[in-house]
Amino acid sequence: MPRRVVVALGGNAIAPAGRAGTAAEQTGNITRTMRALADVLAVEPTELVLTHGNGPQVGNLLIKNELARDVVPAVPLDWCVAQTQATTGFTIVDALEAALAAVGATRPVVTLVSRVLVDAADPAFREPTKPIGPWLEDAAEVERRRREGVRFVEGADGRWRRLVPSPTPLASLELAVVARLLEEGTVVVANGGGGVPVVRGPDGTLTGVEAVIDKDLAGALLAEELRADVFAILTDVVGVAVAYDTPERRWLTEVGVEELADLAAAGEFAAGSMGPKVEAARRFVERTGGRAVIAALDSAAEALAGRAGTQVRPDRDRA
Ligand code: ADP
Ligand code: MG
């Protein structure tokens, strides 16, 4: 078993699309995954960092913002990200602590509200691409907010959805604390929801911005910064497929970074879902020489051991 591991849990895998995603459902999905990870930690004293997506969870907070706008002030997006880090993070802490105790491998687990640095000059801020929150129907309201600088995309049915920038993550600002906690044997939850995006002003001060960082890229960055041996992305499919939407669908069990880059260039992976996972896995492996794996949430232990999911290796062909 590898010495240091970063595991990214999918937001959709925690709150499955098309279902209500109640607190109980989300807790149940997290609990099952934490039991599997506890089994791994019971056998090996692996250093473990967890990160998680928050797409459905932030979407729900934004719906609350819309519905309550006339009663309490709407909160900015960076606040929403921080809030989902807290709720998903504490659920992970609760579930993993209990699971570790149950297998006699008690260890401290902590979640950090984590900021991730982005560049105010990132081109993503000029061209927002990520749709978030509810579909809006009130044209006058959409127009009013457009004048405030909010961007929208119009759907085929004449409704609008907000678009936000998805800038490249540059640095995990809680890195030094994460590293220290890991060395002490603590399991750390960090960079949830891609991290709270912050920019550095000319005078050095940090400010939260209305953007969403891709959680797979933020997880890969943290794995690289921590020099992890393995970066695992757990989601709601068994791995990476080619010809995914066709009868010829074929799951990849092992792939080298170059082959993966070729497949991505050929358009095999959907933007906004498998695309960023493949890109994150590729970046991590290319920059560190470590191993990445993309697998189903319920195969966590097998995936970490190299026996499930799509294993991404430095270069299978040239090894
Ligand atoms: P998460 O919340 O875990 O980030 P996403 O929904 O963003 O999950 O990404 C996982 C989804 O990617 C799968 O449910 C699947 O429908 C989709 N997907 C798109 N292209 C592929 C592909 N080539 N191979 C596997 N899954 C794919
Ligand atoms: Mg995703």
Side-chain angles (χ1 to χ4, degrees):
M1 183 52 63
R3 191 182 57 83
R4 180 174 277 190
V5 173
V6 173
V7 175
L9 310 172
N12 289 304
I14 295 169
R19 292 237 303 273
T22 62
E25 275 173 350
Q26 298 189 46
T27 304
N29 288 326
I30 287 172
T31 300
R32 275 191 297 282
T33 308
M34 293 309 128
R35 286 190 183 136
L37 291 175
D39 289 341
V40 174
L41 298 188
V43 181
E44 292 272 346
T46 310
E47 293 180 354
L48 177 64
V49 175
L50 292 164
T51 189
H52 59 85
N54 71 347
Q57 294 80 6
V58 150
N60 288 351
L61 287 181
L62 291 170
I63 291 173
K64 291 182 187 174
N65 261 353
E66 293 307 326
L67 294 177
R69 189 170 282 282
D70 298 329
V71 186
V72 288
V75 297
L77 191 52
D78 45 325
W79 282 39
C80 292
V81 175
Q83 287 177 23
T84 64
Q85 287 186 344
T87 47
T88 302
F90 110 81
T91 308
I92 291 173
V93 171
D94 262 1
L96 185 55
E97 257 183 19
L100 285 168
V103 293
T106 300
R107 269 166 76 174
V109 187
V110 73
T111 187
L112 299 177
V113 172
S114 350
R115 302 157 300 164
V116 169
L117 186 68
V118 299
D119 185 353
D122 191 308
F125 286 106
R126 288 198 298 278
E127 207 44 68
T129 52
K130 182 151 181 66
I132 59 163
W135 286 94
L136 303 178
E137 289 173 5
D138 185 343
E141 170 74 6
V142 168
E143 190 44 44
R144 189 184 60 71
R145 277 204 250 157
R146 266 201 176 126
R147 283 197 295 273
E148 290 171 358
V150 179
R151 302 280 278 265
F152 288 92
V153 60
E154 190 173 355
D157 58 359
R159 295 187 301 167
W160 290 269
R161 198 166 182 215
R162 184 173 173 193
L163 286 178
V164 294
S166 191
T168 303
L170 300 178
S172 304
L173 296 181
E174 268 55 57
L175 177 64
V177 181
V178 175
R180 204 180 320 149
L181 288 165
L182 275 188
E183 281 153 21
E184 289 170 1
T186 302
V187 177
V188 186
V189 185
N191 283 15
V196 180
V198 297
V199 295
R200 199 181 291 285
D203 63 352
T205 49
L206 296 167
T207 318
V209 286
E210 301 239 18
V212 164
I213 301 171
D214 182 84
K215 74 105 185 6
D216 297 309
L217 295 180
L221 173 70
L222 187 57
E224 180 190 344
E225 291 168 323
L226 288 168
R227 306 250 161 279
D229 303 295
V230 176
F231 173 47
I233 300 176
L234 303 180
T235 182
D236 60 357
V237 281
V238 298
V240 182
V242 292
Y244 178 70
D245 270 330
T246 77
E248 279 80 51
R249 174 189 301 181
R250 185 167 60 82
W251 297 103
L252 303 174
T253 51
E254 200 186 31
V255 63
V257 275
E258 287 193 15
E259 189 185 347
L260 202 55
D262 290 345
L263 292 169
E268 290 283 351
F269 315 122
S273 60
M274 191 46 72
K277 293 185 203 312
V278 163
E279 176 60 18
R282 205 182 57 73
R283 277 189 202 179
F284 171 75
V285 173
E286 210 165 70
R287 291 176 186 176
T288 68
R291 166 167 69 91
V293 56
I294 299 172
L297 203 63
D298 58 14
S299 68
E302 290 289 292
L304 288 177
R307 291 190 298 264
T310 300
Q311 301 284 334
V312 183
R313 313 240 177 226
D315 217 325
R316 192 180 54 171
D317 304 330
R318 280 140 220 245

